[in-house]
Amino acid sequence: QQQVKQSPQSLIVQKGGISIINCAYENTAFDYFPWYQQFPGKGPALLIAIRPDVSEKKEGRFTISFNKSAKQFSLHIMDSQPGDSATYFCAASRNTGNQFYFGTGTSLTVIP
Amino acid sequence: ETGVTQTPRHLVMGMTNKKSLKCEQHLGHNAMYWYKQSAKKPLELMFVYNFKEQTENNSVPSRFSPECPNSSHLFLHLHTLQPEDSALYLCASSQAAGVGEKLFFGSGTQLSVL
């Protein structure tokens, strides 16, 4: 059973537009929700993360919105740039254990 | 060199071969991980080592054998693999194994099993 469901699988956005990637989870014990960014030929790198005690976290053009009651969280990329073209993974982990549960990834293409 | 380094970057092997993947981290971390990345699938955690002790084995087939001689080095020994084992194998490290620990990934080894 997939612990974290991510959508869409792929996304094409115009330069300057807003990219939105959504994730949903079932396990209410999850309490840490990171987003990773992966460029071709590279490993994933942590982009931004949130804990459920806040509903939003912003770092530069990247924002996580978190809805605890709906068990959903999303990544918003404002003013999307061609350099943002990458695969984005959401993940979740709980307050015990070493396991991160990853989504299936979203391939983002930002066209000039 | 800084970060997490994996070698080789690419590996092609037959089903009867034995090979090893190597990972080295230069970050002073105490936890190291092996993940498997297949197309259109979530990253799958395979093994976790915390302070050189294996703390997780996610029901990985015995044809994959990890080794962690010290906190900086991690190996994945491969033998009698199957074509479905073809994937990108990622090594990661973190300060220690636990919630909220930022994972630092290597660039991976792209494995093809013929």
Side-chain angles (χ1 to χ4, degrees):
Chain A
Q1 181 186 357
Q2 197 169 321
Q3 297 275 353
V4 178
K5 296 182 179 179
Q6 183 172 348
S7 63
Q9 185 175 308
S10 62
L11 181 62
I12 299 174
V13 173
Q14 289 280 163
K15 178 182 175 181
I18 302 173
S19 303
I20 301 175
I21 304 169
N22 301 299
C23 284
Y25 64 97
E26 287 297 325
N27 190 337
T28 55
F30 289 152
D31 72 346
Y32 179 66
F33 303 90
W35 285 89
Y36 282 80
Q37 179 188 55
Q38 184 177 27
F39 292 105
K42 300 289 186 182
L46 181 66
L47 185 63
I48 187 172
I50 197 169
R51 292 192 184 276
D53 53 343
V54 295
S55 60
E56 185 176 283
K57 183 173 182 179
K58 184 176 181 179
E59 290 185 3
R61 296 184 294 108
F62 300 91
T63 299
I64 300 178
S65 296
F66 185 80
N67 187 329
K68 188 174 181 178
S69 60
K71 292 184 285 186
Q72 295 175 348
F73 58 110
S74 58
L75 176 69
H76 297 238
I77 306 174
M78 311 300 287
D79 187 27
S80 299
Q81 299 297 312
D84 297 330
S85 297
T87 300
Y88 293 81
F89 294 92
C90 62
S93 66
R94 53 184 184 224
N95 56 7
T96 58
N98 308 317
Q99 177 91 290
F100 281 85
Y101 296 90
F102 284 86
T104 49
T106 296
S107 176
L108 171 66
T109 302
V110 180
I111 52 178
Chain B
E1 189 172 353
T2 59
V4 181
T5 304
Q6 290 187 245
T7 55
R9 292 295 307 273
H10 302 272
L11 179 62
V12 179
M13 59 187 290
M15 290 191 285
T16 58
N17 291 159
K18 290 184 179 181
K19 297 286 185 183
S20 295
L21 309 185
K22 179 183 176 182
C23 177
E24 184 175 1
Q25 59 95 0
H26 307 268
L27 301 168
H29 289 165
N30 297 302
M32 297 188 77
Y33 310 74
W34 280 115
Y35 279 87
K36 177 183 178 182
Q37 185 174 25
S38 304
K40 300 181 181 178
K41 288 187 177 181
L43 272 71
E44 299 174 46
L45 178 65
M46 300 175 72
F47 302 103
V48 180
Y49 279 83
N50 198 28
F51 293 92
K52 299 189 298 178
E53 298 296 321
Q54 187 179 126
T55 57
E56 291 277 350
N57 176 338
N58 263 8
S59 303
V60 180
S62 59
R63 57 185 183 269
F64 295 91
S65 175
E67 179 189 0
C68 188
N70 55 60
S71 293
S72 298
H73 294 86
L74 184 65
F75 296 90
L76 188 62
H77 303 299
L78 317 171
H79 64 97
T80 59
L81 293 191
Q82 304 299 309
E84 60 264 29
D85 297 322
S86 298
L88 181 68
Y89 288 85
L90 291 164
C91 173
S93 71
S94 67
Q95 186 61 48
V99 173
E101 292 292 342
K102 178 178 177 179
L103 294 175
F104 291 78
F105 285 90
S107 295
T109 295
Q110 186 66 54
L111 174 66
S112 297
V113 181
L114 304 179

